[in-house]
Amino acid sequence: FRLAPEQAEEESSEDRRVAATLEAAENQGFFKDMLLEKGKLPPLPLKNRYFAMRHGQSEANAAGIIVSDPVNGCPKWGLTPEGRDQAAASGNSLRQLLGEDRIKSESLQVVCSDFKRTVETAEVLLEALGRKHEKPVICAGLRERFFGKLELGDHERYGDVWAIDHDNDEHTEFGVEAASAVRPRTTA
């Protein structure tokens, strides 16, 4: 969820402290060295407010299976009734947190992947926010990590991958998407 700058609350003192620290580091040439070393731009302070949430309980969660391939996750494996209740509760909590004026703001956006469980979560969330007439913004880059050969298998196998991740975030054992590849994909 993103609120435009004019809708975001005044920056907290912690936000101002971080911005001042970044500015001081930039003035001392820190980012210049970083740019030369890594060839990337430094992270910038956020200008919007963002709230992240996980999808509600999905049919795949309830069945105890891994669904990470869009071939499976986009057309089926939506939310369970409990998952719908979870999404509605999150929407109600967000509504209380933001207040009615911000909820009605045109700058509020709900963004999700194209997996059925996330689209359904976003739709239930929008309904709880009183914005049922709107559709979520779909972003395929927000899909969950692909788990390769483990697709449609027992969800207990996540642990096998995560154990290897601990020592090597670039591995592709079992044909999984490397953990190191997920961040740039989801933040592009």
Side-chain angles (χ1 to χ4, degrees):
F1 316 102
R2 184 175 70 202
L3 292 176
E6 65 273 5
Q7 297 295 320
E9 289 183 14
E10 185 176 318
E11 292 180 320
S12 70
S13 59
E14 178 68 11
D15 291 337
R16 287 191 296 275
R17 185 188 67 72
V18 169
T21 301
L22 288 171
E23 186 175 346
E26 182 176 18
N27 290 338
Q28 294 173 13
F30 173 77
F31 293 135
K32 179 181 177 190
D33 294 339
M34 186 174 137
L35 290 171
L36 291 174
E37 181 181 323
K38 302 223 179 192
K40 295 182 179 180
L41 293 174
L44 298 174
L46 299 177
K47 295 180 181 172
N48 301 304
R49 289 182 66 190
Y50 296 87
F51 300 90
M53 69 179 271
R54 185 179 187 272
H55 59 79
Q57 182 189 58
S58 71
E59 295 164 338
N61 297 141
I65 63 170
I66 296 171
V67 175
S68 64
D69 188 330
V71 168
N72 298 312
C74 291
K76 55 186 177 181
W77 302 103
L79 294 181
T80 63
E82 182 178 346
R84 289 183 175 283
D85 290 344
Q86 291 167 339
S90 293
N92 291 330
S93 294
L94 184 63
R95 187 179 196 131
Q96 288 178 347
L97 177 70
L98 294 177
E100 292 302 316
D101 289 343
R102 288 197 179 97
I103 294 300
K104 292 176 184 173
S105 165
E106 290 182 21
S107 63
L108 181 115
Q109 294 181 1
V110 175
V111 183
C112 64
S113 82
D114 54 354
F115 274 42
K116 186 172 183 179
R117 60 186 171 241
T118 64
V119 172
E120 289 180 356
T121 298
E123 289 171 346
V124 171
L125 180 78
L126 283 164
E127 184 174 354
L129 295 175
R131 298 174 72 135
K132 184 178 182 174
H133 62 282
E134 295 179 31
K135 294 290 182 193
V137 176
I138 306 295
C139 178
L142 294 177
R143 290 177 181 158
E144 78 169 60
R145 181 181 184 186
F146 178 67
F147 279 85
K149 295 175 186 173
L150 304 180
E151 180 72 9
L152 300 178
D154 189 328
H155 69 188
E156 295 295 326
R157 298 293 309 272
Y158 281 128
D160 298 339
V161 175
W162 296 333
I164 301 168
D165 287 345
H166 184 268
D167 296 320
N168 179 6
D169 70 344
E170 295 181 359
H171 83 88
T172 57
E173 188 73 25
F174 311 111
V176 303
E177 179 179 17
S180 62
V182 175
R183 182 172 182 232
R185 173 174 59 77
T186 58
T187 58

